């Protein structure tokens, strides 16, 4: 589909008379279905295309009721069954559809299946239909037990892996060693049954992430040498601290929300601290945050500074930190004042520019200052191009970088003449056409020339 038409379809400033002309294009249906300004006529026109993705979007945004959707094709009917208000009769018809490919899709698509449809699909001649059913829907205990004895191995594996399978059925399946992996990964498998699967090496990776096992299972898993198993174990919040202390060579420890603070501090100097908040720091109490913020270990202070919901006094103290890494972590916090943003830029220079430009409070003057002061800094240009406060003259300074150009093309503050110019480039035509500052006369010319 023409990128310009797609852009126009998502342009919030598109006038109604042009929207009237776009709804006739089936390929624009999904983009248009997301708009908030659709009239009843527009909705009916979109439904007439019979696109299941459009039907789903209109249903999910409550623009139509299930009863308003014309059942023109099987994919539309399948999309309709995903809505809680769908008529159960639709699922009943699809359950008897002659094409097994349609019947296979029904369990995943349907929000709810009537009991008679579940029984019908459980006895389907196609094992894949049965496997899909047990994967996505709960069966009555007696029926689940019967299906667990299905002659097709794929169905039995699906029953063992399904969180909807009743616990007694899973216990019965544990006698089959070929199902060990599925049972180990299934959160519905009773803990003692899962623990007994430790004898199967293929199950240990899945057991390592379970949070309901006896301590001795975690202790045995800690003696493994496979990195994948150890990583899952190290990130598991149910693993006792004593076991975690034997896993200090595993980077995944920092992902564990229950890691002891002293161990976190011990590991921090060798850790790669990104922009995401470390889970244990995200869960830290106010008192713990203050302790961590006063740590002599720079990486620990960086972890604290990355948390967005810090108390104001902690933000203020971290802003004054001499380390540029700490400054870079805290500078995106909206509690950092405009004056402090200027001070941080002055103190730490261009290395902070991309992060400063991500602060929602960053003023237009500072964005312009950074765009002028930096050269060949793609990340800074891209961050500025995303900022809603960037002025047109500032955006124009960022256009050397291709990605920043693409981002700026949709920015409403970009000069109109530049928006129009960007319509001529395949890379920027779509976002430029979606720019709400695009003159209506230009929108109309574009529509006339492309339809």
């Amino acid at each position: 589909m023409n990128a310009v038409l797609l852009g126009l379809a998502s342009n919030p400033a598109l006038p109604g008379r042009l929207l009237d002309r776009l709804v006739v294009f089936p390929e624009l249906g999904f983009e248009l279905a997301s708009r908030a300004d659709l009239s009843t006529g527009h909705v009916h026109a979109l439904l007439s295309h019979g696109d299941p993705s459009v039907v789903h979007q209109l249903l999910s945004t409550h623009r139509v009721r299930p009863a308003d959707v014309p059942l023109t094709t099987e994919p539309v009917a399948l999309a309709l069954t995903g809505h809680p208000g769908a008529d159960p009769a639709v699922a009943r018809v699809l359950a008897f559809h002659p094409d097994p490919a349609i019947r296979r899709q029904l369990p995943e698509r349907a929000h709810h299946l009537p009991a008679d449809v579940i029984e019908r699909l459980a006895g389907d001649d196609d094992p894949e239909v049965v496997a899909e059913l047990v994967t996505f829907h709960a069966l009555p205990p007696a029926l689940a037990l019967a299906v667990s004895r299905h002659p097709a191995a794929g169905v039995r594996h699906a029953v063992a892996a399904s969180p909807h399978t009743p616990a007694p059925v899973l216990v019965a399946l544990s006698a089959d060693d070929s199902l060990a992996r599925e049972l180990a990964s299934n959160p519905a498998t009773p803990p003692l049954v899962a623990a007994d699967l430790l004898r199967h090496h293929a199950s240990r990776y899945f057991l390592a992430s379970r949070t309901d096992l006896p301590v001795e299972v975690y202790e045995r898993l800690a003696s493994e040498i496979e990195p994948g198993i150890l990583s899952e174990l190290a990130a598991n919040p149910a693993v006792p601290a004593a076991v975690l202390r034997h896993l200090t060579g595993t980077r995944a420890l920092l992902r564990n929300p229950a890691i002891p603070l002293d161990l976190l501090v011990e590991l921090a100097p060798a850790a790669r601290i990104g922009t995401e908040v470390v889970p244990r720091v995200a869960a830290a109490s106010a008192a713990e945050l203050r302790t961590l913020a006063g740590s002599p270990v720079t990486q620990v202070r960086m972890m604290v500074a990355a948390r967005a919901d810090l108390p104001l006094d902690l933000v203020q103290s971290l802003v004054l930190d001499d380390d540029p890494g700490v400054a870079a972590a805290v500078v995106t916090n909206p509690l950092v004042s405009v004056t402090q943003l200027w001070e941080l830029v002055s103190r730490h220079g261009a290395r902070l520019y991309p992060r400063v430009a991500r602060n929602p409070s960053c003023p237009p003057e500072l964005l312009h200052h950074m765009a002028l002061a930096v050269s060949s800094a793609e990340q800074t240009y891209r961050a500025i191009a995303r900022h809603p406060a960037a002025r047109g003259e500032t955006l124009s300074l960022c256009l050397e970088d291709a990605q920043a150009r693409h981002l700026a093309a949709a920015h409403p503050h970009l000069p109109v003449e530049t928006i129009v110019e960007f319509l001529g480039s395949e890379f920027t035509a779509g976002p430029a056409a979606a720019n709400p500052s695009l003159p209506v006369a230009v929108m109309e010319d574009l529509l006339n020339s492309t339809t």
Side-chain angles (χ1 to χ4, degrees):
M1 167 47 62
N2 187 295
V4 168
L5 289 182
L6 279 173
L8 288 174
S10 64
N11 193 318
L14 187 78
R17 69 177 188 277
L18 299 187
L19 181 54
D20 293 343
R21 295 171 58 183
L22 288 180
V23 293
V24 303
F25 295 99
E27 54 269 48
L28 297 176
F30 184 78
E31 200 72 42
L32 292 168
S34 304
R35 295 183 65 95
D37 58 349
L38 296 175
S39 68
T40 301
H42 295 145
V43 170
H44 288 160
L46 292 173
L47 286 175
S48 70
H49 299 314
D51 185 334
S53 65
V54 171
V55 170
H56 173 77
Q57 181 67 11
L58 291 172
L59 285 169
S60 62
T61 54
H62 307 290
R63 301 309 303 264
V64 295
R65 298 172 303 160
D68 298 328
V69 178
L71 297 177
T72 52
T73 65
E74 288 88 349
V76 168
L78 285 167
L80 187 62
T81 63
H83 193 276
D87 185 345
V90 178
R92 290 190 176 97
V93 171
L94 292 173
F96 285 92
H97 198 281
D99 185 353
I102 299 297
R103 303 198 305 274
R104 287 176 206 143
Q105 294 179 66
L106 178 58
E108 181 178 4
R109 298 290 188 89
H111 178 270
H112 170 76
L113 288 176
D116 58 311
V117 173
I118 286 179
E119 189 170 354
R120 162 71 184 87
L121 295 177
D124 200 284
D125 293 338
D126 187 330
E128 291 185 38
V129 173
V130 185
E132 289 294 302
L133 174 68
V134 299
T135 298
F136 294 101
H137 292 270
L139 276 60
L143 185 57
L145 181 61
V147 172
S148 73
R149 298 165 179 161
H150 199 282
V155 173
R156 298 195 301 275
H157 282 268
V159 173
S162 174
H164 306 293
T165 301
V169 176
L170 295 173
V171 172
L173 289 174
S174 65
D176 186 344
D177 289 348
S178 71
L179 302 176
R181 285 169 58 98
E182 287 78 9
L183 291 169
S185 64
N186 190 340
T189 301
L192 292 181
V193 174
D196 188 53
L197 298 171
L198 189 64
R199 68 186 189 275
H200 300 284
H201 187 269
S203 299
R204 293 174 189 172
Y205 174 84
F206 305 100
L207 295 175
S209 61
R210 289 187 64 121
T211 59
D212 58 353
L213 301 180
V215 171
E216 54 268 26
V217 174
Y218 301 128
E219 291 173 341
R220 288 184 59 185
L221 288 170
S223 64
E224 284 285 336
I225 60 173
E226 289 190 17
I229 295 175
L230 295 177
S231 290
E232 291 297 308
L233 190 66
N236 188 336
V239 174
V243 176
L244 293 179
R245 294 184 192 279
H246 290 290
L247 302 172
T248 53
T250 307
R251 289 182 179 178
L253 266 176
L254 288 178
R255 299 204 317 266
N256 193 318
I259 183 175
L261 283 185
D262 67 302
L263 185 54
L264 177 70
V265 172
E266 176 187 331
L267 297 174
R272 293 181 179 178
I273 310 300
T275 57
E276 291 187 8
V277 182
V278 173
R280 180 62 180 90
V281 175
S285 66
E288 289 172 333
L289 282 176
R290 295 182 191 286
T291 299
L292 295 172
S295 171
V297 180
T298 299
Q299 290 86 347
V300 172
R301 302 197 305 278
M302 289 171 61
M303 291 177 183
V304 176
R307 186 165 150 169
D309 60 344
L310 292 174
L312 178 59
D313 65 304
L314 271 189
V315 173
Q316 303 303 321
S317 67
L318 291 166
V319 165
L320 299 174
D321 199 289
D322 291 332
D323 189 274
V326 177
V330 77
V331 77
T332 60
N333 195 305
L335 293 178
V336 179
S337 70
V338 171
T339 300
Q340 289 171 327
L341 290 176
W342 279 101
E343 290 172 352
L344 287 168
V345 164
S346 176
R347 191 188 322 158
H348 297 289
R351 72 178 75 184
L352 241 61
Y353 287 1
R355 300 282 295 166
V356 172
R358 288 182 175 87
N359 190 307
S361 302
C362 188
E365 297 79 14
L366 182 50
L367 292 169
H368 194 75
H369 167 80
M370 292 188 295
L372 282 171
V374 70
S375 60
S376 302
E378 292 85 358
Q379 293 306 316
T380 298
Y381 290 146
R382 295 169 192 177
I384 292 173
R386 290 186 178 96
H387 203 291
R391 297 189 301 235
E393 61 267 31
T394 304
L395 295 168
S396 296
L397 296 171
C398 301
L399 303 181
E400 296 175 13
D401 176 65
Q403 185 61 37
R405 212 160 45 244
H406 181 82
L407 294 166
H411 201 296
H413 294 168
L414 190 69
V416 170
E417 59 271 18
T418 307
I419 300 173
V420 174
E421 177 187 336
F422 280 173
L423 290 168
S425 167
E426 183 179 356
F427 186 62
T428 54
N435 195 315
S437 294
L438 187 67
V440 172
V442 177
M443 295 183 194
E444 193 155 15
D445 288 344
L446 287 171
L447 196 49
N448 289 336
S449 64
T450 53
T451 61

